Amino acid sequence: MHSSSIRFLLLAFLGAALVDEAVGGKSFNLKPFTVDLCDSVPRMLKQIQNTALPSSPEYAGVGSSFGIDLGVLKNLQSEWLTDFDWQKEQYSLNQLNHYTAEIEGLTIHFIHERSKDPNAIPLILNHGWPGSFLEFLPVLDQLTQKASTSAGKTVSFDVIIPSLPGFTFSTAPPANWTYSDTARVFNTLMTEVLGYKTYATSGTDLGAAITYAMYDQFNTTARAGHFVFLPFFPLDFAQLAAANISLSPLETIEEENFVQWNTVGNGYFIEHTTKPNTIGLALYDSPIGQLSWIAEKFISWSDPRAGTPPSVLNQNEILLSVSLYYLTRSIVSGMYTYAQNANGFATDYVKAQTDAPMIFSAFKYNIAFWPAEMVEKVGNLKLYSNHDFGGHFPGLDNPTALLKDLREIATYWVD
Ligand SMILES: *[C@@H]1O[C@H](CO)[C@@H](O)[C@H](O)[C@H]1NC(C)=O
Ligand SMILES: *[C@@H]1O[C@H](CO)[C@@H](O)[C@H](O)[C@H]1NC(C)=O
Ligand SMILES: *[C@@H]1O[C@H](CO)[C@@H](O)[C@H](O)[C@H]1NC(C)=O
């Protein structure tokens, strides 16, 4: 370990001790965390090796219209065995500052990278399914660096990337745990564990539901909200027309992508919500099973240009994500999140109880679409940007655009 990181750890401990005092001696058992899953890797490789797939598709020529294409799956299987290197990936993950803290009986894992600027805005980034903290790593370093907003304001962030309860290294929550419960725990993480008075919150997919709950329910501490997704059910074409909302050509494509998800793309959603044990246990000890279930989403929810700049979403990235789900044995608990939040999509667009600024980023190949007219119903919308490259995982699919939009938080930030 470098001496600079030792000094940083000491400072982190000291900071935690001071915070503990401030809140009356409450201890969160904040401590550094190292990723070490090497013991489970041999079994994973053996399972990958031993999983037989058909030599040719049962129904040729259907491509990916009935789910993942056999050729794509076999190609990933072979790359997993030949090129993928867990040790190397783990080494680079451990270059980041990981911690765990105990909050409300849960162990919460998070990455915390500080800016050198004392005026940096604290920013929590909430991932979704089948994502993880990995989704935001391509923008992490640049977020901590000083930059300018479009209006020339200086901006940098202290970045916190937690693992949702039940995902990777965060413990599975009780059976009745909701997004609001996670929002409360994450607000505690930001304020009491890390000692920030105020912060900005951003999220995608399930993480957007948590971000919305923080934005709505902690209006004195969550002082800006950035969203790539919303916990409100999107309107269909007829409902948009009835609301007199007309769509641009880009928005029409985005709405078509939502209709596609809502008709032939939501089987996983219903299965996770209703029978997470059945699918979760079926996949629990099957890396290829998890690969099939998860890779299909990464591929079909991303820009078809994935892997070409600005996208960094390549096969290795998909294999890393699936390896993390398998090696941390968190496939079942991650899926339970849907069952625990069966009404996670509200149909009534209610305005959040906050005056904090809201920013929304739409991406062409995302799986759901909310025009600005709908977004402004649920928050104090200050900026709506629509990107014609990228999809459901903007941190991987278009990190350049995500970084740019996150930096705009500073334009509206009032400390
Ligand atoms: C949720 O379950 C826990 C036990 O796991 C229980 O203590 C708590 O009262 C329950 N909460 C609600 C709102 O039902
Ligand atoms: C839509 O526009 C029509 C015609 O201008 C108007 O009669 C109707 O009330 C509008 N509907 C909504 C929901 O604003
Ligand atoms: C914050 O929320 C409370 C209710 O929890 C509400 O009374 C208050 O007006 C809100 N503040 C702002 C600025 O919206």
Side-chain angles (χ1 to χ4, degrees):
M1 187 182 286
H2 301 297
S3 66
S4 64
S5 34
I6 291 171
R7 199 162 60 234
F8 176 76
L9 290 181
L10 286 173
L11 286 172
F13 279 125
L14 203 60
L18 292 173
V19 171
D20 278 358
E21 236 166 69
V23 297
K26 220 190 259 181
S27 170
F28 296 99
N29 198 18
L30 174 67
K31 53 187 184 197
F33 174 83
T34 304
V35 177
D36 182 9
L37 295 168
C38 290
D39 286 354
S40 305
V41 171
R43 180 174 183 87
M44 177 174 85
L45 293 174
K46 195 174 120 216
Q47 298 291 72
I48 300 168
Q49 176 92 54
N50 288 346
T51 302
L53 289 169
S55 56
S56 61
E58 208 69 56
Y59 303 99
V62 299
S64 58
S65 46
F66 290 89
I68 196 160
D69 179 83
L70 176 64
V72 169
L73 189 61
K74 288 171 95 167
N75 192 276
L76 281 161
Q77 178 185 31
S78 128
E79 181 167 331
W80 218 349
L81 290 169
T82 54
D83 298 330
F84 183 77
D85 182 348
W86 175 263
Q87 305 277 353
K88 188 176 123 216
E89 300 295 346
Q90 181 171 288
Y91 176 82
S92 79
L93 291 178
N94 281 328
Q95 302 312 297
L96 303 170
N97 291 299
H98 296 255
Y99 299 91
T100 56
E102 310 291 328
I103 308 173
E104 297 189 28
L106 300 179
T107 298
I108 300 297
H109 159 259
F110 60 100
I111 291 169
H112 187 196
E113 295 291 332
R114 290 174 200 259
S115 164
K116 291 193 181 76
D117 181 357
N119 296 318
I121 299 172
L123 170 67
I124 181 169
L125 300 170
N126 298 313
H127 70 80
W129 188 92
S132 64
F133 65 85
L134 296 172
E135 273 187 64
F136 300 112
L137 299 190
V139 291
L140 176 55
D141 183 55
Q142 283 168 287
L143 285 170
T144 64
Q145 305 296 321
K146 263 196 199 177
S148 291
T149 65
S150 62
K153 212 168 157 181
T154 300
V155 54
S156 71
F157 299 95
D158 277 4
V159 183
I160 293 84
I161 312 175
S163 295
L164 269 46
F167 286 75
T168 70
F169 307 105
S170 289
T171 49
N176 55 12
W177 195 261
T178 65
Y179 295 138
S180 286
D181 293 318
T182 300
R184 185 182 64 249
V185 163
F186 285 180
N187 184 66
T188 301
L189 172 65
M190 295 301 281
T191 57
E192 296 185 45
V193 181
L194 299 176
Y196 295 118
K197 281 203 184 69
T198 58
Y199 59 85
T201 178
S202 168
T204 180
D205 193 81
L206 309 176
I210 292 156
T211 300
Y212 190 79
M214 296 175 89
Y215 177 74
D216 180 37
Q217 291 161 29
F218 297 95
N219 63 19
T220 57
T221 50
R223 295 305 300 156
H226 169 263
F227 297 85
V228 177
F229 207 83
L230 286 175
F232 295 91
F233 206 78
L235 304 191
D236 62 24
F237 274 109
Q239 290 167 322
L240 288 170
N244 288 341
I245 296 171
S246 57
L247 303 182
S248 69
L250 174 59
E251 291 174 322
T252 303
I253 293 171
E254 292 168 335
E255 178 65 13
E256 281 163 358
N257 288 335
F258 163 66
V259 171
Q260 179 88 1
W261 178 87
N262 198 31
T263 48
V264 294
N266 59 0
Y268 82 97
F269 184 94
I270 298 166
E271 184 70 4
H272 292 187
T273 305
T274 57
K275 299 285 183 278
N277 261 355
T278 304
I279 184 64
L281 295 174
L283 302 184
Y284 182 78
D285 196 27
S286 174
I288 296 297
Q290 294 189 25
L291 177 66
S292 180
W293 196 255
I294 288 173
E296 189 237 321
K297 300 312 176 203
F298 271 110
I299 296 166
S300 66
W301 295 355
S302 297
D303 195 301
R305 294 161 288 186
T308 64
S311 167
V312 296
L313 180 58
N314 55 22
Q315 298 214 138
N316 194 73
E317 191 64 39
I318 294 173
L319 295 172
L320 177 57
S321 291
V322 179
S323 298
L324 195 59
Y325 271 83
Y326 178 83
L327 294 171
T328 58
R329 304 190 168 101
S330 55
I331 190 85
V332 177
S333 50
M335 287 173 172
Y336 254 87
T337 310
Y338 291 82
Q340 290 159 337
N341 296 275
N343 303 311
F345 271 126
T347 46
D348 269 350
Y349 280 62
V350 179
K351 196 152 216 144
Q353 295 197 55
T354 184
D355 59 356
M358 174 187 238
I359 294 176
F360 189 89
S361 306
F363 290 87
K364 182 173 181 180
Y365 291 97
N366 208 340
I367 56 175
F369 171 65
W370 297 265
E373 292 90 333
M374 297 311 294
V375 179
E376 70 186 8
K377 286 184 194 296
V378 300
N380 181 20
L381 184 64
K382 294 292 190 188
L383 175 69
Y384 181 97
S385 56
N386 200 341
H387 303 283
D388 65 5
F389 192 112
H392 191 62
F393 307 93
L396 302 170
D397 221 5
N398 191 345
T400 315
L402 179 65
L403 183 64
K404 186 164 175 287
D405 288 355
L406 285 170
R407 283 175 170 156
E408 290 306 314
I409 289 171
T411 304
Y412 308 99
W413 180 256
V414 185
D415 203 15

